[in-house]
Amino acid sequence: MSDDDAVEALAERLRGASRVTVVTGAGVSAASGIPTFRGPGGLWRRHRPEELATAAAFARDPKLVWEWYAWRRGLVASAKPNRAHEVLAEWSRRFPRFRLITQNVDGLHERAGTSDVIRFHGSLWEVSCWEDCGRTPARWRDERAFEDLPPRVSSSAPGPRHPRPGRRRGVLPPRCDACGGWLRPGVVWFGEPIDPEVLEASREALDCDVCIAVGTSAVVYPAAGLVTTAGARGAFTAEVNPEATPASGAVDLAIAGPAEEVLGRVDRRL
Ligand code: NAD
Ligand code: ZN
């Protein structure tokens, strides 16, 4: 099937759909300048993300891991949503039941205007208590997490524009007000379970007419199994990714191309 035919085939399915679920990964934010984990730019100070995004890494070196998250918050704060985020935000208003499940922690879908995003892996913009002391909410937005943002971030940044005067970069994580333990990023690290409420919301979202995986390498479970589950329940399934993934052979339609371009082309045909 030609590229154009594939785009038309997906548009055709969407024209007849009311329940549409999209599962996104780091690839949707690539065009906004946010590196994926496995692509070029995924390394930070010679560390692989798999060595930093774990509880063991935080236990060993909380400062290193906190600095990496501060760096990522800085990148995202100065980035803007791209056409892929915008098209999905438009679809969230177009389809009677649209659900967006994202593995991304950057908040760019929300900034593009999609509400009720199911955040499978939490958020860069939240923290939780490392000691899990039970005297705080499970996750919350804490202004102290923004103090390490670089000074020049755009006015659309979700945090304050400048760090507090007198604060040095490269600081330790803040402390929990309730127990004095470290605060950790409010994200799901490799090896950690997904929040049961998030899993439940995702399972419900998989009862749909069309399910599309966009920009995910489909190797991190359980997120990787979402689209095939939707297919098993009767949904038409598609993938949008410039590279083939383990899911490519399992979906009804694999479209090879960048999300910001392919989603725009599909949208123009709706
Ligand atoms: P991944 O890094 O494993 O894979 C990224 C995928 O995106 C690859 O398959 C790649 O081919 C594809 N891709 C690259 N450019 C693209 C484009 N322009 N359009 C469409 N696809 C493109 O990312 P993952 O599958 O999301 O899994 C990694 C985990 O890392 C996630 O769970 C997520 O929590 C986290 N992560 C988040 C961010 C973010 O929030 N922006 C960034 C990196 C990693
Ligand atoms: Zn605590």
Side-chain angles (χ1 to χ4, degrees):
M1 191 188 281
S2 84
D3 195 43
D4 238 19
D5 290 346
V7 165
E8 175 52 30
L10 180 54
E12 171 66 30
R13 290 288 177 162
L14 286 171
R15 284 194 289 266
S18 64
R19 300 173 307 159
V20 175
T21 295
V22 177
V23 181
T24 66
V28 228
S29 295
S32 296
I34 314 298
T36 63
F37 271 6
R38 290 169 187 83
L43 287 184
W44 175 77
R45 295 192 200 162
R46 296 164 184 251
H47 296 281
R48 285 152 30 92
E50 294 88 336
E51 294 160 2
L52 293 166
T54 67
F58 191 80
R60 196 165 48 236
D61 195 343
K63 182 166 181 281
L64 177 77
V65 174
W66 188 259
E67 280 177 11
W68 181 52
Y69 279 92
W71 173 77
R72 292 178 61 198
R73 280 192 290 268
L75 271 184
V76 173
S78 50
K80 290 195 189 69
N82 64 58
R83 188 69 194 131
H85 299 107
E86 286 167 12
V87 167
L88 294 174
E90 283 160 25
W91 291 2
S92 73
R93 295 181 286 271
R94 169 189 281 266
F95 294 102
R97 207 204 75 175
F98 179 86
R99 300 301 277 140
L100 179 60
I101 304 172
T102 190
Q103 296 168 79
N104 296 346
V105 294
D106 55 31
L108 288 177
H109 284 302
E110 290 90 337
R111 274 168 65 193
T114 304
S115 46
D116 288 334
V117 175
I118 301 174
R119 280 195 257 111
F120 214 72
H121 290 160
S123 170
L124 274 184
W125 306 103
E126 290 179 356
V127 295
S128 60
C129 173
W130 167 245
E131 301 294 340
D132 203 7
C133 68
R135 286 184 271 151
T136 66
R139 290 198 172 116
W140 73 98
R141 195 185 149 102
D142 193 297
E143 290 306 316
R144 288 171 294 172
F146 305 122
E147 289 175 351
D148 300 320
L149 282 182
R152 281 191 306 115
V153 297
S154 81
S155 55
S156 60
R161 293 182 75 177
H162 300 287
R164 252 186 226 158
R167 284 273 304 200
R168 274 182 308 111
R169 301 281 321 280
V171 290
L172 289 166
R175 295 283 186 171
C176 173
D177 286 334
C179 73
W182 298 121
L183 294 185
R184 54 162 284 177
V187 302
V188 178
W189 281 329
F190 291 111
E192 290 186 325
I194 308 296
D195 183 325
E197 281 176 26
V198 169
L199 267 186
E200 185 51 35
S202 305
R203 285 200 188 102
E204 278 171 24
L206 298 179
D207 282 323
C208 56
D209 305 318
V210 178
C211 184
I212 315 171
V214 187
T216 171
S217 59
V219 291
V220 182
Y221 273 83
L226 295 173
V227 175
T228 39
T229 304
R233 292 196 202 162
F236 179 82
T237 56
E239 175 184 68
V240 177
N241 197 311
E243 314 264 338
T245 76
S248 306
V251 292
D252 297 313
L253 184 67
I255 306 182
E260 61 282 6
E261 184 213 303
V262 173
L263 293 184
R265 284 168 62 202
V266 172
D267 186 61
R268 283 196 294 279
R269 288 167 182 259
L270 291 183

